[in-house]
Amino acid sequence: MTVAAGIRLRTEIPGPTSRVLQARRTEAVAAGVTSTLPVFVAQGGDGLLVDVDGNKLIDLGSGIAVTGVGNPAPAVADAVRAQAELFTHTCFMVTPYEGYVTVCEELNRLTPGDHEKRSALFNSGAEAVENAVKIARYATSRPAIVVLDNAYHGRTNLTMALTAKNMPYKHRFGPFAGEVYRVPASYPYRDPASLTGEQAAGRATMQIENKVGAANVAAVVVEPIQGEGGFIVPAPGFLPALAAWCVDNGVLLIADEIQTGFCRTGSWFAMDHEQVVPDLVTTAKGIAGGLPLGAVTGRADIMDTVHPGGLGGTYGGNPIACAAALAAIETMRSRDLAAAARRIEHTVLPRLGRLAERSGVLGDVRGRGAMLAAEFVRPGTTEPDAGPASRVAAACHQAGVIVLTCGTYGNVIRLLPPLVIPDALLDAGLSVFEQSVLDLAGRGV
Ligand code: PLP
């Protein structure tokens, strides 16, 4: 089989061994848990996954923005091994350990703003967001939480309420937690061209004032670049204006940096690009090189209001996850992975722009750092077109390149390569994507 450099296809995708495992999986795993690509993984690499049939696939998804440092990053594998030999768990609420404290120190240093901060560790992104909401309500004694159109904050009961999209995240899972209010976001491609970021923020805050009343709002929760909603970069000025309104009204700003954080967008955190300093920041995903860890970091005066024992959980800040996080952060620092993300943007975004012009099926290409996307529309219109996005994703998968879809309308393909991906693999993966889009558009190469 002729394949792009770096890709090795020994069988069709999925191969025979994957299909046998898939049959077992169907008998054992709940049907509600699905996979983008039913290829069972045997081994990872920097930008590659090897499956159980010996096929090598280029990974432009990083397990949904998790393995930016590599899969595994050697330092993360070493740290996990070393910690597992010492102890695997004590529960930080029973007997503490240094790794937890060091991760909190790193988070306090790295997140936006040089004010005094505190952190608390959890197991996942959704758990971090839940706890940020708990802390915000406690600190302000106000009930309401405001979220944006296209938002994604998780799948637990409270975070489903915060998440915008019904299918597949919320459908038939209600009733949802109360006191959650949704207002318009900034979506430059779909907003009127004349709408500035400041005006988009004004549109949101006017609705908050009318529908909820600023005095009732504990926090506005915002993704600095909306992730599952479609990799939507808000118009310049939107986030600063929203932040200023929060300050004026005693409302806390919670930045959900779970997908955008840890160098993904070319800076430690995406809020850095807008010089916005949130009151609370939630992190997870890229923080620990693939180990499950989530965190809330925020102003010390807010974080420390909660009564002793009010925050925690059996596994939150597990010692192996903390060791992995420290190794992952050190890898980001020593390899300057923020700069690597910026280089990826400079390689990929112009190519996506040219592809949009040539193919006629991409209404918008956008993103920051190594968080980039192409939005499919019916040619000549801005009408979302989900079918081609999923057909292109499927064609990429068949050709050995893992890409993911997203978007409120399901019409966006997102590229989330590991930050350590070698140039040749990135180039090969992109070529497959470009070819698939051109084939779909009937344009040939
Ligand atoms: N918040 C954002 C912005 C996310 O992208 C995600 C996951 O995609 C979450 C929260 C939920 O994180 P988790 O899946 O770890 O619960």
Side-chain angles (χ1 to χ4, degrees):
M1 218 175 274
T2 333
V3 288
I7 300 172
R8 181 180 69 199
L9 295 187
R10 289 191 165 152
T11 70
E12 71 279 19
I13 299 290
T17 317
S18 275
R19 286 206 300 273
V20 169
L21 287 169
Q22 179 67 14
R24 272 178 53 200
R25 170 210 173 124
T26 307
E27 295 299 313
V29 179
V33 184
T34 58
S35 301
T36 303
L37 178 56
V39 152
F40 282 73
V41 174
Q43 208 188 326
D46 286 358
L48 279 174
L49 291 176
V50 184
D51 77 7
V52 287
D53 291 292
N55 299 304
K56 263 191 199 169
L57 299 105
I58 295 180
D59 179 14
L60 300 185
S62 300
I64 320 188
V66 171
T67 50
V69 293
N71 190 10
V76 170
D78 289 346
V80 164
R81 208 176 294 116
Q83 180 59 47
E85 281 174 8
L86 291 173
F87 62 96
T88 53
H89 175 81
T90 64
C91 186
F92 192 75
M93 299 185 307
V94 178
T95 47
Y97 37 88
E98 187 177 349
Y100 188 117
V101 178
T102 314
V103 170
C104 292
E105 288 168 347
E106 286 282 20
L107 284 164
N108 297 347
R109 240 189 317 268
L110 294 172
T111 49
D114 48 17
H115 50 283
E116 193 178 348
K117 296 177 206 152
R118 303 280 186 269
S119 290
L121 304 184
F122 305 97
N123 300 292
S124 67
E127 210 188 333
V129 174
E130 291 247 354
N131 278 279
V133 168
K134 280 165 63 174
I135 294 163
R137 283 181 168 151
Y138 197 112
T140 58
S141 302
R142 298 174 177 188
I145 301 296
V146 171
V147 287
L148 301 179
D149 283 340
N150 312 306
Y152 183 86
H153 298 292
R155 294 170 179 260
T156 57
N157 187 267
L158 173 59
T159 58
M160 274 192 295
L162 305 180
T163 289
K165 192 173 174 177
N166 178 48
M167 275 301 263
Y169 309 122
K170 303 169 70 163
H171 185 64
R172 297 181 62 171
F173 293 139
F176 304 113
E179 285 300 322
V180 172
Y181 300 89
R182 192 171 310 284
V183 299
S186 165
Y187 193 159
Y189 177 60
R190 299 200 169 276
D191 284 338
S194 59
L195 193 77
T196 65
E198 288 80 2
Q199 288 166 339
R203 179 176 66 178
T205 54
M206 199 202 314
Q207 286 206 14
I208 303 175
E209 286 168 7
N210 291 342
K211 286 184 186 168
V212 198
N216 298 314
V217 180
V220 175
V221 188
V222 56
E223 297 158 87
I225 296 175
Q226 292 188 312
E228 306 301 301
F231 280 26
I232 305 164
V233 185
F238 175 76
L239 293 169
L242 198 58
W245 180 88
C246 287
V247 170
D248 290 347
N249 290 280
V251 172
L252 302 183
L253 181 67
I254 301 177
D256 181 345
E257 292 256 14
I258 285 164
Q259 191 153 169
T260 50
F262 289 101
C263 301
R264 176 55 56 187
T265 68
S267 186
W268 278 103
F269 293 94
M271 281 296 194
D272 296 334
H273 299 293
E274 302 271 358
Q275 285 93 47
V276 169
V277 177
D279 299 293
L280 301 174
V281 180
T282 56
T283 51
K285 287 194 183 280
I287 188 175
L291 276 284
L293 189 68
V296 182
T297 302
R299 277 174 27 209
D301 57 327
I302 297 169
M303 296 291 290
D304 281 344
T305 50
V306 177
H307 56 269
L311 302 174
T314 304
Y315 291 114
N318 166 272
I320 299 176
C322 286
L326 294 174
I329 291 168
E330 189 42 41
T331 303
M332 291 174 215
R333 220 180 247 129
S334 63
R335 295 187 63 175
D336 196 357
L337 293 187
R342 294 194 294 273
R343 277 197 302 279
I344 290 171
E345 175 182 335
H346 292 141
T347 304
V348 178
L349 209 44
R351 282 177 69 166
L352 293 182
R354 288 193 290 276
L355 185 62
E357 273 173 29
R358 258 184 93 188
S359 67
V361 295
L362 304 177
D364 191 28
V365 298
R366 55 178 178 255
R368 233 179 216 151
M371 185 171 181
L372 300 159
E375 175 158 0
F376 287 72
V377 291
R378 282 192 204 291
T381 74
T382 58
E383 210 181 310
D385 208 359
S390 54
R391 286 201 293 282
V392 165
C396 290
H397 300 162
Q398 287 305 310
V401 177
I402 300 172
V403 295
L404 308 170
T405 56
C406 66
T408 294
Y409 311 103
N411 64 328
V412 177
I413 288 193
R414 51 176 156 173
L415 304 176
L416 287 163
L419 309 178
V420 295
I421 191 168
D423 292 346
L425 281 188
L426 181 62
D427 177 56
L430 266 179
S431 299
V432 167
F433 174 67
E434 288 163 338
Q435 179 68 61
S436 307
V437 174
L438 292 171
D439 285 350
L440 171 116
R443 296 287 204 279
V445 196

